[in-house]
Every structure is written in structure tokens, then in C-alpha cells.
Amino acid sequence: MRKIFMLFFIYLSVSSFAQVIISDSVAVDTIKKPRYWSILAKNSVMFNQAAFSNWVGGGANNVGWLASANYNLTYEKDRNLWENIIILNYGQNTTKGIGTRKTQDVLNFSTNYGRQFSKSWYVSAGASLLSQFSGGFEDGNNPEAKKISNFMAPGYVNAGLGITYRPDENLTVTLRPANGRFTFVLDKELQLAGNYGLKSDGDFFLMQLGFLGSAIYKVKLMENIEMTNTASIFSNYLDKPDHMVLSYNMLLNMKINRFISSIVTVDVMYDHNQIQKTQLKQTLGIGFAYNIDNGVKRSARKDNQSWLKK
């Protein structure tokens, strides 16, 4: 009888222990670990085409394409904010009787780290790189014409210290009273031309120290229509601070369905060292789009809103 009782006791002990393990494992599985990375990416390939046959109004057959990738990777934990932006755009157009021309060419990386010191305000440090993938030419990017740009010719690198205001994921304003702006011209042909403010022919590097202000504002105009506005201003403390570098970009994304979108872009720029005229560029395309969103939103993470804590 004692043996039977001992066996029964052992069985109950093992069974209870197993239930505790199962219960604990379930509890652990139900605990959701906080996610600090917010990932938002928009990838698209756009097409445009025109065909003519005996058209009295005239015109030339043409076909074009534009590939675009826009990534926003943001890390937020406690008082730390680290935002990274990657923008890659490239497009071409082929016109009968003229050939292939570049229509879009952007290579843009930026990173900014901030440490929160007040509600929505951060002490920050950051850097950015702006250039293009391939050569650009006068006369509509005609390869037979004069070359005016190339990869890292020019290439602009900004690095500095300042403050960042970011109340939510739709608005970021950064002010850097101490910012270095470095212009690189790595194409020897363009170095000899003495463009982009280089002090003498053959120079490949220009350093400027000044103030940089930048802002990104995203707004949802209506269902499936979003607009992203990006603007910046730079003034050189050391030489002609009134000759400011101004830039503005507007991206209008009109989502048709899950995989098809229409995109409109507008770029406006003025740089006294490049050309003493306002530069304007506009593109329109419709095609395939694929977005990535891991669902992490700042507004849903109370751990980053210290001012809401008791």
C-alpha cells in the first residue's frame, strides 16, 4: 500500500511540476517585448509611354521608367532618438530620334541622433550625403554635350550639432548652428572647369562652416493620398552668408491599390555656387509599388512619452 501511495505521490508531483512549466511558458509567450525600431519603406517602379502615328500635331514615340526607394528607419528608446533616411531615385527616358536621357538621379543618405532634454526637444548630432549615380550633361543630358555633373561631382556632406524638435512621426525640425558643409568634386574634368565654388582649377574639395536648418513634414491629404515635404537652408558664416543654399522637395503618393501607385515629385533648389538661377524639376509616373511597415508608431509607445508618466 505504501508503494502504491508513493507512486501516486510521485505522479502528482511530476504532473503539478509539468503544469507549472507549461503555465510559465504560456505566460512568457504572452508577454510582448517592446519594439524600438520603426521601419517604413516605399519602393516603386514607374512607367510612362507615348506613341504617335500620322498625328498632325506632331510628337515622338517615347518610353520611360523611374525606380524609387525611400526608407525611414527610426530607433526610439527612453530619451534616445535615432532617425535614418535613405532616398534612392533613378529614371531614364528613350525618345525616337533622340536617344536615351536621364530623367531622375538622386542619392541621399542622412542620419540624426538626439537625446531628449524636454518635451519633443532633443540635443542632436547628425550627418548627410547628397549626390547622384551617373553623369549629367547640358542640352537635356545629351552625352555629346558638355558634362555638368557625375557621381560625387558634386557630392555634398553635411555634419553638425544642434537641436531637433520632433513631436510625432509626421514632423521633424532640426537646427544646427554649428554645421560643416563639404563639397566634393571627384571628376577631374569638372575639377578643371572650376565649378561648384572651388577656389581654383584642379581643386576637388570645398569646406564651409555655417548654419543648417532642415524640416520634414508628412500630411495625409485624404484616403490613400499622402504628401511628404522636405526643406533645408544653409548659410555660410565664413563667406557671403547672404548667398544661402535653399532646397525644397515635395513627394505626392497616390495609392490606387495595394501594388499600384501614382507618384508626383517637385524639386526646387537655389545654390549660388552652382548656378545663379532657381532650379526646378518635376516628375510624374504610375506603376508598381511595394511598401514595408512594421507597425511600430511613436504615438502607440508610451515608454517614449516621458511627459505622460506620473
Side-chain angles (χ1 to χ4, degrees):
M1 186 69 179
R2 182 181 298 178
K3 292 183 179 180
I4 295 175
F5 176 80
M6 288 297 297
L7 290 173
F8 181 72
F9 178 79
I10 293 173
Y11 169 78
L12 289 178
S13 300
V14 172
S15 177
S16 300
F17 181 71
Q19 289 178 5
V20 170
I21 294 177
I22 294 173
S23 177
D24 288 345
S25 64
V26 172
V28 171
D29 290 341
T30 57
I31 297 176
K32 293 183 178 180
K33 295 182 179 179
R35 295 187 295 170
Y36 302 113
W37 278 102
S38 172
I39 301 175
L40 180 62
K42 298 181 180 180
N43 305 278
S44 63
V45 179
M46 303 291 168
F47 300 95
N48 57 75
Q49 180 266 344
F52 304 86
S53 178
N54 302 320
W55 188 255
V56 176
N61 297 344
N62 65 83
V63 62
W65 63 272
L66 169 63
S68 175
N70 190 325
Y71 283 71
N72 191 315
L73 313 175
T74 303
Y75 176 85
E76 292 180 89
K77 182 180 180 182
D78 300 327
R79 295 184 178 272
N80 300 297
L81 170 66
W82 182 24
E83 188 168 23
N84 303 275
I85 297 176
I86 303 172
I87 300 175
L88 306 173
N89 293 329
Y90 195 83
Q92 291 181 326
N93 182 276
T94 301
T95 303
K96 184 178 180 180
I98 298 179
T100 300
R101 301 287 188 269
K102 180 174 63 174
T103 57
Q104 183 77 295
D105 192 357
V106 176
L107 175 63
N108 192 343
F109 298 94
S110 65
T111 183
N112 191 65
Y113 169 77
R115 179 73 175 177
Q116 187 184 47
F117 67 90
S118 181
K119 178 181 177 180
S120 304
W121 289 93
Y122 301 80
V123 177
S124 62
S128 65
L129 167 66
L130 176 64
S131 187
Q132 54 278 319
F133 289 96
S134 62
F137 305 86
E138 290 182 346
D139 187 23
N141 287 319
N142 180 4
E144 303 298 327
K146 178 183 177 182
K147 183 190 294 184
I148 57 175
S149 65
N150 207 344
F151 174 71
M152 288 300 292
Y156 299 101
V157 175
N158 281 284
L161 302 172
I163 58 175
T164 295
Y165 174 68
R166 190 175 190 270
D168 54 53
E169 61 270 12
N170 293 321
L171 177 63
T172 301
V173 178
T174 299
L175 305 175
R176 294 181 190 159
N179 185 86
R181 186 173 190 258
F182 309 92
T183 302
F184 295 89
V185 181
L186 303 185
D187 187 300
K188 292 186 177 180
E189 182 179 341
L190 296 175
Q191 292 171 11
L192 296 175
N195 293 331
Y196 305 109
L198 299 180
K199 299 302 181 181
S200 60
D201 294 350
D203 283 355
F204 72 95
F205 175 76
L206 173 68
M207 183 181 73
Q208 297 172 301
L209 177 64
F211 168 84
L212 175 68
S214 63
I216 300 176
Y217 177 58
K218 304 174 184 178
V219 57
K220 185 175 182 179
L221 299 179
M222 59 182 65
E223 189 67 26
N224 295 329
I225 300 181
E226 297 178 351
M227 176 187 288
T228 301
N229 301 275
T230 306
S232 69
I233 179 173
F234 175 80
S235 177
N236 182 17
Y237 294 145
L238 306 179
D239 183 29
K240 300 177 181 178
D242 57 317
H243 290 176
M244 294 179 289
V245 179
L246 308 171
S247 68
Y248 168 76
N249 169 265
M250 185 277 291
L251 172 65
L252 184 64
N253 191 334
M254 296 173 285
K255 185 178 179 181
I256 299 174
N257 58 38
R258 184 179 178 184
F259 296 108
I260 299 179
S261 293
S262 179
I263 293 178
V264 179
T265 67
V266 175
D267 289 273
V268 182
M269 182 176 182
Y270 180 83
D271 187 344
H272 194 84
N273 289 330
Q274 288 189 4
I275 180 175
Q276 297 175 22
K277 295 180 181 179
T278 301
Q279 304 176 47
L280 174 65
K281 179 177 64 177
Q282 182 272 327
T283 64
L284 166 65
I286 184 170
F288 300 100
Y290 179 70
N291 297 334
I292 300 173
D293 187 348
N294 71 341
V296 178
K297 302 295 183 183
R298 175 185 169 88
S299 59
R301 291 212 301 273
K302 302 302 182 183
D303 58 301
N304 289 308
Q305 300 177 5
S306 59
W307 58 91
L308 297 178
K309 296 179 179 179
K310 295 182 180 180

